[in-house]
Amino acid sequence: ETLLFVKVKEDEKDPENKKEKWRMQKPHADDVDAKQVEHFLEKVTSLQARDEAILDKADAKELGLDKPAGRIRIVIEEGKDEKKKTREINLALGMKQKETDKVYVKVDNWPRVNQVGNEIWTLAKRSDLVYRPRELWKLDRDAVTRITIQADGKPYNLERGEKAWKITGPVEAEAAAADLDNLAEELA
């Protein structure tokens, strides 16, 4: 399955807004947990091979690179405005039949192959569900005006008034504003 993540402006309606966020475009358009995308990028960009793990004259077929098990494509925009340049880095991930603890990475058309641990393969084959936001929903805490709670009995209602929170059912009473503001924050 192909996953595609892009960095977009947080508020596309506001041209002055410089903040960016990650979004998934494939297999479907959705918000993502930015920490998961950043973690993946950190692992990819920190890949290293040394000494005998650098294979200059490798047989692509033997290492599973003739038909890669996976591919990672990273598009980088460098510079500003008129001087902006786009560059692509393509990684092919190969694996030998019986060596599941090693992954062979070939970058673009370089002849060199790098042997790395299988962590990159584990990350690359993850489902899109891993990247979904952890929050059940996104709300502004100040937009929460009523909370109804029911557990093992009759429900009771908490309502935000102009100045304070109130319990409005089954009895009416003042409520601890700080505690309910914290509850609204946790729910938001």
Side-chain angles (χ1 to χ4, degrees):
E1 178 176 25
T2 299
L3 303 180
L4 174 62
F5 302 99
V6 295
K7 212 171 215 183
V8 297
K9 284 190 176 183
E10 204 167 88
D11 184 359
E12 293 180 24
K13 296 173 188 170
D14 181 5
E16 300 297 316
N17 186 359
K18 302 281 188 213
K19 289 185 180 179
E20 294 180 321
K21 66 178 182 177
W22 286 103
R23 286 207 30 98
M24 180 181 294
Q25 286 191 332
K26 284 185 183 179
H28 49 81
D30 203 355
D31 285 336
V32 296
D33 181 354
K35 289 179 186 174
Q36 292 294 331
V37 177
E38 295 291 342
H39 174 73
F40 180 78
L41 281 173
E42 178 184 324
K43 293 299 180 184
V44 170
T45 58
S46 66
L47 285 174
Q48 292 184 6
R50 293 198 172 111
D51 304 324
E52 64 273 351
I54 298 170
L55 311 171
D56 286 318
K57 295 179 182 175
D59 178 5
K61 188 172 184 175
E62 182 186 327
L63 302 178
L65 288 166
D66 58 331
K67 295 178 184 172
R71 295 181 186 277
I72 299 171
R73 183 175 136 222
I74 301 172
V75 178
I76 302 168
E77 289 183 355
E78 300 171 311
K80 301 269 185 209
D81 302 322
E82 305 88 42
K83 295 181 180 183
K84 187 186 283 186
K85 291 183 181 180
T86 301
R87 164 172 86 104
E88 274 188 33
I89 301 170
N90 295 287
L91 298 106
L93 307 178
M95 299 176 75
K96 287 184 179 179
Q97 289 279 330
K98 296 179 183 179
E99 287 185 357
T100 58
D101 62 330
K102 297 175 188 167
V103 175
Y104 298 91
V105 180
K106 187 170 189 300
V107 180
D108 293 316
N109 292 322
W110 293 2
R112 171 178 147 174
V113 174
N114 301 293
Q115 176 187 310
V116 297
N118 70 347
E119 183 180 16
I120 192 63
W121 175 243
T122 302
L123 290 171
K125 68 180 182 177
R126 293 192 302 181
S127 163
D128 63 311
L129 298 176
V130 171
Y131 295 97
R132 293 206 176 147
R134 302 290 178 247
E135 303 91 11
L136 298 176
W137 56 78
K138 291 185 181 183
L139 297 172
D140 176 9
R141 131 187 132 111
D142 294 331
V144 177
T145 58
R146 182 182 178 131
I147 302 169
T148 301
I149 301 172
Q150 180 176 358
D152 296 334
K154 292 183 178 180
Y156 62 96
N157 301 310
L158 308 166
E159 290 188 24
R160 184 192 309 255
E162 288 182 32
K163 296 181 182 177
W165 284 91
K166 292 182 181 182
I167 301 171
T168 59
V171 297
E172 294 208 14
E174 294 295 318
D179 291 339
L180 291 175
D181 281 338
N182 289 339
L183 176 60
E185 177 74 34
E186 287 181 29
L187 290 172

